Amino acid sequence: PTLSHVSFTAAPGEHVAFVGPSGAGKSTVLYLAPRLYEATSGAVLFAGTDVRSLTQESIIDHVGIVTQ
């Protein structure tokens, strides 16, 4: 697994930043939310719904990603 034991909650309207050293998994976390990467285990929830049951377009309409 690329990530292990990762859990966080971002409230609606909240801005979240992932900061850390190179290779820590920041981009992986960001790419899992809008399904740019598919989770092979565990769950990624968006508004309480597993992102695998949502269309990528519907997620992207509600999420903004700004890379460095």
Side-chain angles (χ1 to χ4, degrees):
T2 303
L3 299 172
S4 181
H5 304 293
V6 176
S7 178
F8 67 91
T9 301
E14 185 176 33
H15 293 90
V16 178
F18 292 94
V19 181
S22 178
K26 302 176 299 292
S27 295
T28 300
V29 169
L30 292 176
Y31 292 164
L32 284 167
R35 294 183 56 201
L36 298 174
Y37 289 168
E38 293 288 344
T40 56
S41 65
V44 178
L45 305 178
F46 184 79
T49 302
D50 192 316
V51 296
R52 290 174 281 208
S53 67
L54 303 171
T55 65
Q56 190 177 35
E57 292 77 21
S58 68
I59 299 168
I60 291 173
D61 285 346
H62 294 91
V63 173
I65 297 175
V66 179
T67 60
Q68 186 179 15

